[in-house]
Amino acid sequence: MNNHDLKKLLLKVEKPTRYMGGELNSIVKNDAEYKFALCFPDVYEIGMSHLGSRILYNILNKREDTLCERVFTPWSDMENLLRENNLPLFSLESKRPLCDFDIIGFSLLYELSYTNVLTMLDLSGIPFYANERTENYPLIICGGPCTCNPEPIAPFMDAVVIGDGEEVTPRIMDVYAECKKKGLRKHDMLLEMANIEGIYIPCFYEAEYKDNRFVALNRISDRVPERPMRSVVKDLEHAEYVGKLLVPYMSIVHDRIALEAFRGCTRGCRFCQAGFIYRPVRERSVDTLLKYADELVDCTGYDEISLFSLSTGDYSEIHTLVKNIVDRYSKQNVSIALPSLRIDSSLKDDLEKIQSVRKAGLTLAPEAGTQRLRDVINKGVTEDDLIRSVRDAFESGWTSVKLYFMLGLPTETDEDLLGIVDLAKKVVAEYYSVPKDVRGKGLRVTVSVSTFVPKPFTPFQWEPQLALDEIRGRQKLLRDAFKGLRSIDFQYHDSETSLLEASFARGDRRLADVIVRAYKLGAKLDSWDEFFKFDVYRQAFAEDGLSMEMYASRNRNVEEKLPWDHIDMLVTKEYLMKEREKALMEITTKDCRKGCNGCFGNKYADYCKVY
């Protein structure tokens, strides 16, 4: 796109900085042999907050033979202008049309972004289905947590990355370059790529259905793996990181430095997909994290460092790291944030240090309102842990606490739900039990309740999601119980988006047609309330003879084949079945740090290293 056309567009959109590029530390190469478009299927301020995309941006641009540029889903104002002026979607760095890249890679973090993928392809004149794209079109690939079950979007993709992108992406580029030099056509190139660990090529597998249900996914070539295996960065300490961090001109969701202290989790919460698909735990050393912090503070000017991990308080050297960061940067007024804290983490001294630089909110996740249900989900924390944690926070000056819970967990009762209200009341009471001269002023407790979504590769992958009426009834029960309570804000997630998320999370290949149909009926930016059209999805499912409930709300037999069974995520199905049985008996499983639970089985035992 030329500058004249771009300037005309930027004058007419609400947030022109979404499309300008030219940010501090962005990388612009005049040319390279291979061109990779790093696509995030949501708007700029969401995509620019994604750590994984920033890591891949650095890795790809460090290659001499490759240039990597960013592309995001445009907001509706820019989308309409592109269509009205017959202009293609373009990259931020060079304003190159998306269709002119060699490889287009999508980062899929949540299921409600699927129609955004179609928006980006449609604006670029690229056919949705892989079997409709000729040799002249770019190679379309995707990665991210949604690829645990890639089947709903598999017909759109030439290749799917399973697992850690840092390992797989350079190998994709190596094979792509080698195949191009040999003059291989796409079919033969994909056969070569199929043998990269962490790559799944959908066109070499066919789905089988019986009585309107998925029954199997059959390999149609013996040259590809029967079960593509997840790629794992085994040495996180020496893995590539973000390089010089891009600094946007506008505010983004996570407008700060993110330090990934470790990857994986040892806790084993039975609803948590991330806790299973990112195993085993791999840590970075304090020295390496401080080195990254120095580099990123110097090259960005950010005044906040967030320690990013699934459960930051579980980092083995958390106290040393927090002390070093606070001591190192307090004179520069650079603060530290600890998201994803466990309520049984011993962090009182750290909380006091953090508050000495800048006041912030504290987020804790009890997940369930009673100990019985916390045992079912293997949360491994108690009410006493929560009360101790909030008291430590209140005594350290905290006045804002956010509590995360889930609704609709397996075996949940009204007593479990009302336990959420009781816990929130006890948190408020604990604040007022702290002497006035010690606690801060202006308590605000936010209780956020999301709906349980059964996810692949968890012990609850066989469990049904509650029906819509039941979800709404339980939300009303909580809403009524919270009415009039002092200092407490109650929030809950939309039940319809949760149903759609569960449908896609547990779906099969037939949902690709549903996604296309919904898109053509007007679905887009589905995770944004102002755009989400539930009736459109109802119609799209029905016109294909399907329903959301048949995917989301059906209790699945442990013997039946699941649409994602062909993906090897290292954690065995037998282990997940055992954990499901223990959940129904309200039996907990110990933290992996206290001894191996054998989740990988014998085949991958050498992958696991418990810190």
Side-chain angles (χ1 to χ4, degrees), residues 58 103 131 162 168 229 244 361 444 457 462 465 487:
N58 177 47
I103 301 178
N131 61 9
I162 310 291
V168 182
M229 188 176 77
K244 288 189 173 183
R444 180 52 52 196
F457 298 103
W462 294 277
Q465 186 181 62
S487 302

Side-chain angles (χ1 to χ4, degrees), residues 16 60 80 85 120 126 155 205 400-401 410 446 471 484 554 589:
L60 287 164
N80 293 336
N85 291 277
M120 298 174 79
I126 299 173
Y205 304 79
S400 176
V401 176
T446 301
I471 293 173
R554 183 171 66 84
T589 298

Side-chain angles (χ1 to χ4, degrees), residues 480-515:
D480 291 345
F482 274 112
K483 276 182 182 176
L485 292 185
R486 180 183 178 188
S487 302
I488 298 175
D489 290 329
F490 174 58
Q491 303 172 350
Y492 57 92
H493 290 194
D494 177 69
S495 56
E496 294 175 343
T497 56
S498 296
L499 174 60
L500 184 60
E501 180 185 347
S503 303
F504 286 151
R506 304 211 298 175
D508 52 48
R509 286 196 184 185
R510 291 175 293 179
L511 293 193
D513 291 343
V514 172
I515 294 167

